[in-house]
Amino acid sequence: MFHDMGSMGAESGTQAIERAAQLLVRVVEAPQPPSIGELSARAGLPKSTTSRLVGALERQGLVQRLGARGRLRPGPVLLRYASRDASQALAALAQPSLRRLADESGETINLAVPGPDGVEHLAQEDTAHFVGVTDWVGRRVPFELAANGKCFLAFGGGEVEEGDLIRSRGYATSIDELEVGLSALAAPVLGADGAAVSALSISGPTARLTAERIDELAPLLKDEAATLTRRLRGAA
Amino acid sequence: MFHDMGSMGAESGTQAIERAAQLLVRVVEAPQPPSIGELSARAGLPKSTTSRLVGALERQGLVQRLGARGRLRPGPVLLRYASRDASQALAALAQPSLRRLADESGETINLAVPGPDGVEHLAQEDTAHFVGVTDWVGRRVPFELAANGKCFLAFGGGEVEEGDLIRSRGYATSIDELEVGLSALAAPVLGADGAAVSALSISGPTARLTAERIDELAPLLKDEAATLTRRLRGAA
DNA sequence: CCCATGGATCCCATATCGTGGAACATGCGT
DNA sequence: ACGCATGTTCCACGATATGGGATCCATGGG
């Protein structure tokens, strides 16, 4: 009887849960609903064990079956969670990125998504500057005037005049447009279909965010946006 | 030594997983991040056991701690899932409602959410009628012209002329507005803040969807929308 | 129609793994 | 600095998960 224990940094007294949790993760991450057999193969567990574990998860509503004996999908509990707290979840995921950008740039960082009537701000990370930006969370701003709004237009639905420039550079700017003395740059976080699902932006007084400062900050911003894009799709 | 086993329809050979899964569900459903102590109390488990189980869940990324020793939030795996598949999840949750409405009304049912440039259709359930509606999934429609769009305006952001009527009746209609010969009625699915997060609609040829037919179908539609609203928030 | 086929579930003896009380950390409030 | 409240680690015990094989159930082919 083998006890490989090899692949994971396994703690003791949790074999069953560790396994079950792993199965749940696989179901949630899988691009296509797996069957019991596939799961057991991929996880390297006996079918009987897999069946039992999945049964328990199903009883708690964490997993669901397509038919009576069908493939596995995330259960009602997870469906509800996703429908309810999607934007909250995005904000939580992006939080580290916001923090990093705030520290590195010293300016105010925002996470936004496209909404029915304009850009919707989900989260903001401030810095200790006296001349800063007020809290934008919850506020809506027209797409055409904001840097992040332009991202949504350029990478997705609509059109902007600067569209080509924005797409080729990978980020958008808004200088004294939304308000005189207020500037910003924004980079898109892309979804599976290549459209922008959200955007990260750096904003501050035009006095500090000069053209050259923007050039300097752009790579950082794009990098962080790309990181988030990756984190949303792939594993890790 | 107690083995109550009483509260659940417990199957055998899954105590640990059943418990761990229950803990995970509590974390996901909790309006506020619970602490280990709270969890162990609510679940009726010893603190030591709870700690161990949560540890395993954390190792798989299903759960996350605020600080080193802090309160519990959904983990990165779930955050990613929610951010990625939110609308898919909503569609899956609504699916039974769509099916029921389609069967009871004999018309085409749609689930839609408000998007940046109009109403976005997530899912559709058809019936066997010859004169039906084409597939709307993925298509965008201006808010002011569609019944579901009017719901979003009346219960949430914007304004419509019929706003008061819609709010008092609890549903909106669109007769020959989007297209001559096409009519629809729609009821909102409300979020925690009372705004419409999505809408269910019944649409069909004006010839079939007469004023009285609409009066007849409205209660069904409102009822199903209310059910969905409840299912999104509360348990079960 | 009936028998292969492949997959999922059930069964049950075995010993591995989870259990929980108590002791030990850790951090917060005063 | 000293409790107090909250979380973690330890460990002997035995309840509980394990997995090979039998069973069951849908399919589809002969």
Side-chain angles (χ1 to χ4, degrees), chain A residues 12 20-21 33 36 41 43 46-47 50 54-55 57 60 78 90 105 128 131 154 156 172 183 201 220 235:
Chain A
S12 73
I36 296 270
K47 279 195 306 181
T50 306
V54 167
L57 293 177
Q60 302 298 324
L78 298 184
L90 179 61
S105 70
V131 180
S183 291
S201 65
L220 262 66

Side-chain angles (χ1 to χ4, degrees), chain A:
Chain A
M1 222 157 279
F2 279 44
H3 296 273
D4 56 41
M5 198 121 293
S7 53
M8 287 258 33
E11 297 297 313
S12 73
T14 25
Q15 189 195 62
I17 294 141
E18 213 96 38
R19 287 173 165 184
Q22 200 153 123
L23 291 177
L24 179 56
V25 171
R26 278 180 204 278
V27 170
V28 163
E29 309 256 72
Q32 307 227 323
S35 68
I36 296 270
E38 283 163 17
L39 270 186
S40 73
R42 294 220 181 295
L45 296 174
K47 279 195 306 181
S48 67
T49 301
T50 306
S51 176
R52 195 156 24 83
L53 299 182
V54 167
L57 293 177
E58 189 181 8
R59 245 168 275 129
Q60 302 298 324
L62 289 170
V63 163
Q64 209 176 5
R65 314 183 87 116
L66 233 5
R69 210 147 286 206
R71 322 198 130 233
L72 297 163
R73 290 186 337 177
V77 170
L78 298 184
L79 294 182
R80 276 221 307 279
Y81 171 67
S83 313
R84 249 195 308 122
D85 297 336
S87 48
Q88 208 183 93
L90 179 61
L93 262 184
Q95 161 62 23
S97 291
L98 296 193
R99 188 63 271 146
R100 268 196 297 277
L101 281 173
D103 290 342
E104 289 174 353
S105 70
E107 298 294 346
T108 297
I109 313 300
N110 269 97
L111 174 73
V113 294
D117 26 55
V119 177
E120 221 157 310
H121 291 85
L122 292 186
Q124 173 165 333
E125 199 71 27
D126 291 299
T127 43
H129 269 129
F130 293 99
V131 180
V133 189
T134 46
D135 197 357
W136 293 57
V137 174
R139 281 174 70 189
R140 321 270 171 103
V141 170
F143 287 110
E144 305 80 24
L145 298 180
N148 38 27
K150 290 179 191 175
C151 279
F152 296 132
L153 293 174
F155 296 87
E159 264 312 310
V160 228
E161 26 178 348
E162 315 152 76
D164 290 323
L165 177 61
I166 294 175
R167 275 186 292 269
S168 69
R169 285 197 310 193
Y171 70 96
T173 59
S174 163
I175 299 174
D176 295 328
E177 288 176 54
L178 192 59
E179 207 178 292
V180 178
L182 176 66
S183 291
L185 61 160
V189 177
L190 304 175
D193 55 352
V197 297
S198 72
L200 290 172
S201 65
I202 306 180
S203 45
T206 309
R208 282 204 300 267
L209 281 184
T210 60
E212 44 200 18
R213 189 87 208 292
I214 289 180
D215 285 345
E216 202 179 303
L217 291 173
L220 262 66
L221 179 63
K222 282 170 58 182
D223 188 54
E224 206 65 62
T227 303
L228 236 185
T229 296
R230 242 174 292 116
R231 189 169 311 165
L232 275 186
R233 311 194 209 188

Side-chain angles (χ1 to χ4, degrees), chain B residues 1 25-26 28 30 53 63 74 89 119 130 133 135 167 192 196 212 221:
Chain B
M1 222 157 280
V25 171
R26 279 180 202 279
V28 162
L53 298 182
V63 163
V119 176
F130 292 100
V133 188
D135 197 357
R167 275 185 292 271
E212 45 200 19
L221 180 64

Side-chain angles (χ1 to χ4, degrees), chain B residues 12 18 37 46 52 56 61 71 83-84 126 146 162 180 192 196 201 209 213 223 234:
Chain B
S12 74
E18 212 96 37
R52 195 158 23 82
R71 317 195 134 235
S83 312
R84 251 196 306 121
D126 290 300
E162 316 152 75
V180 177
S201 65
L209 281 183
R213 190 87 208 290
D223 188 53

